[in-house]
Amino acid sequence: MLRPNAHDVRRRDFLRWLAASPLLASAGGIATLEPLIAQEAPRRVFDDIVQSAEDALDIWDLQRAAEVTVPPAHYGYIMTGVDGEETYANNRSALEQLRLRARRLVDVSNLDTSVNIFGRKWDTPIMIAPCGSQRAFHAEGELAVARAASSRQHLQTLSTVSSTAVEEVNEARGEPVWYQLYLSPVGPGSWEGATALMQRSQDAGCPTIVYTVDLQGGSNRVTLERYSRDDNRTCTNCHTPGGRAGGPKPMLRGLPRGTPDPGLGRSTTWETIPRLRDATNQKFIIKGIMTAEDAELCLRYGVDGIWVSNHGGRAEGSGQATIDALPEISEAIAGSIPIVVDSGFRRGSDIVKGIARGATAVAVGRPYLWGLGAFGQEGVEKALDILTREMEITMRAVGAPSLSDLGPHTIATS
Ligand SMILES: Cc1cc2nc3c(=O)[nH]c(=O)nc-3n(C[C@H](O)[C@H](O)[C@H](O)COP(=O)(O)O)c2cc1C
């Protein structure tokens, strides 16, 4: 055990413990990490306020708490984008710069925030994005997230590189999650491995495969490297000496090796999609789409849904914000298949903007990871509650009693 659980230690005591920690002495203190990634919004700091999940007033309160409780290298893994964080910043600034048009004197006494995806009704459009290695942020990792998402009925997608197997996550959640698929180099590098992974998730009851395509070229995670260099602990629980992650993740263990497939990896093209599509009965979504051209290809190749994403700024550097990519993509899709969007959504008003620009649902990554890292299941629940409350207030404020009342008219043109 490297650190006390935030549940057990009041934050003030915890900060005191941390200040005395050799970990910080070697890293030169948390202050040295701050210039690497600024807080996402200007704010006055009330250091003692967030001692429990209940205290958090917005998502950034959870971020600040997680920055204290999560070990530096793991916090760096959450925070990192690529290069100098331009894509990460673009996601936020584009959302912040969009202005809402508010209609008045509309009856907003009854709100309908429900969405229908693949014939199933969800009470909320806010989804849990797939994020790997969640036990690096809290001992209960994916199980805490599953319990939190289930308690509020949020749709959840589990990563290929989860630190908990899909069967256990489904059991904690009480129903199957959606399953995210990586192919080589992050996931299985053979066709046999890929189909075995899909088959395993199908056998576990997962109704949908989310195939992530935005890391095919690799990614330049400078911020992660900087945080890692600031973290001198030796932790052999999950790491080999030298700090690299240990053996394969649970879902990648024991997969048939098969023949390394040159069509899976850097050279994968759209031609692989029908092959993957036909290998499963599950619904098939592609995650990482950023252009109308690729949205049209999704339609041509019979994909069931698309997920607009730049991996939260972790894929291409100097990338466009997803909220800015949405209009051309929703025009190309013209309502024929569901669109999920993520990357940089931190406020209920951001969720409203995503739906207004044509998304069916909005997924979040870091907001719930910060909650998880700071306070476990309660922190994830708090992140979801904050976003839900803010979204509902915004819907009432702009005179939209249901999500279908949001549209391009909700966004100001200047
Ligand atoms: C720590 C971390 C791990 C992630 N792991 C995965 C993953 O395993 N598979 C995947 O498709 N996306 C992964 N993502 C990207 C998320 O699914 C999502 O696209 C992104 O977090 C959304 O941006 P946001 O964090 O700004 O909300 C990860 C993101 C983070 C922050």
Side-chain angles (χ1 to χ4, degrees):
M1 189 66 184
L2 286 161
R3 63 196 166 95
N5 188 317
H7 287 293
D8 306 331
V9 182
R10 287 172 61 83
R11 180 180 158 88
R12 196 188 312 235
D13 296 341
F14 180 55
L15 284 171
R16 213 170 283 137
W17 170 84
L18 199 69
S21 153
L23 189 163
L24 275 192
S26 61
I30 269 184
T32 60
L33 301 174
E34 279 172 358
L36 300 177
I37 288 195
Q39 290 288 325
E40 284 190 358
R43 50 178 303 123
R44 191 166 163 205
V45 175
F46 298 95
D47 246 351
D48 280 343
I49 281 188
V50 187
Q51 296 182 4
S52 70
E54 214 26 64
D55 294 334
L57 294 175
D58 63 17
I59 291 298
W60 288 283
D61 279 344
L62 295 173
Q63 179 194 352
R64 290 181 339 105
E67 186 172 6
V68 175
T69 54
V70 177
H74 296 181
Y75 182 74
Y77 175 58
I78 296 179
M79 293 307 293
T80 196
V82 291
D83 297 351
E85 305 300 349
E86 292 81 6
T87 312
Y88 186 102
N90 290 346
N91 284 331
R92 281 302 306 146
S93 64
L95 278 162
E96 281 167 7
Q97 279 161 28
L98 277 193
R99 307 274 180 258
L100 293 172
R101 294 182 71 244
R103 297 298 309 276
R104 307 299 188 204
L105 293 174
V106 178
D107 178 354
V108 287
S109 51
N110 289 311
L111 278 193
D112 180 3
T113 61
S114 67
V115 288
N116 192 305
I117 305 179
F118 303 144
R120 161 129 186 220
K121 187 180 164 201
W122 295 90
D123 289 340
T124 170
I126 303 169
M127 289 175 56
I128 296 278
C131 293
S133 307
Q134 292 173 14
R135 290 182 66 195
F137 316 131
H138 188 274
E140 289 172 24
E142 289 86 359
L143 298 179
V145 173
R147 290 186 195 112
S150 154
S151 71
R152 273 99 176 124
Q153 284 303 296
H154 291 263
L155 212 169
Q156 175 184 3
T157 302
L158 184 72
S159 161
T160 293
V161 288
S162 59
S163 41
T164 314
V166 68
E167 295 83 3
E168 284 176 70
V169 174
N170 287 350
E171 197 184 327
R173 188 184 161 98
E175 68 170 334
V177 293
W178 285 9
Y179 191 72
Q180 179 263 329
L181 177 72
Y182 275 133
L183 298 182
S184 172
V186 186
S190 71
W191 183 252
E192 290 83 353
T195 48
L197 205 50
M198 286 197 288
Q199 187 63 48
R200 180 168 171 185
S201 71
Q202 185 169 313
D203 292 346
C206 301
T208 304
I209 289 288
V210 175
Y211 171 38
T212 300
V213 296
D214 52 18
L215 291 188
Q216 191 165 320
S219 61
N220 185 30
R221 299 191 175 174
V222 176
T223 295
L224 171 59
E225 193 56 36
R226 288 193 199 284
Y227 273 87
S228 302
R229 286 182 190 182
D230 250 328
D231 196 341
N232 298 326
R233 298 160 312 142
T234 300
C235 181
T236 49
N237 283 355
C238 308
H239 295 270
T240 54
R244 294 287 150 212
K249 290 282 192 301
M251 292 299 288
L252 299 176
R253 272 178 219 145
L255 281 185
R257 282 178 162 264
T259 318
D261 190 328
L264 304 181
R266 295 253 152 109
S267 54
T268 304
T269 66
W270 288 93
E271 310 303 321
T272 304
I273 299 300
R275 219 173 139 204
L276 276 173
R277 183 95 207 61
D278 293 346
T280 177
N281 296 326
Q282 294 151 293
K283 293 284 186 192
F284 193 86
I285 291 183
I286 296 190
K287 175 172 183 276
I289 298 299
M290 287 297 292
T291 61
E293 295 93 303
D294 284 348
E296 279 158 13
L297 283 165
C298 284
L299 289 183
R300 194 185 313 159
Y301 282 93
V303 166
D304 298 301
I306 74 170
W307 193 312
V308 178
S309 177
N310 55 31
H311 222 103
R314 294 157 90 86
E316 66 277 12
S318 272
Q320 190 186 24
T322 54
I323 191 71
D324 287 339
L326 256 183
E328 66 177 64
I329 291 172
S330 10
E331 195 183 329
I333 295 298
S336 54
I337 53 175
I339 301 175
V340 178
V341 66
D342 72 23
S343 300
F345 291 76
R346 304 284 181 268
R347 285 271 179 212
S349 55
D350 297 339
I351 311 282
V352 163
K353 290 170 186 175
I355 304 288
R357 286 215 153 161
T360 316
V362 178
V364 291
R366 294 179 185 89
Y368 81 84
L369 294 182
W370 288 327
L372 174 69
F375 303 113
Q377 179 180 341
E378 283 175 34
V380 180
E381 288 170 354
K382 187 65 184 179
L384 294 169
D385 290 348
I386 288 170
L387 291 172
T388 301
R389 177 174 174 272
E390 290 181 352
M391 174 185 72
E392 291 178 353
I393 289 174
T394 308
M395 286 174 68
R396 289 195 196 95
V398 300
S402 77
L403 296 179
S404 59
D405 295 309
L406 300 170
H409 58 275
T410 315
I411 309 281
T413 50
S414 59

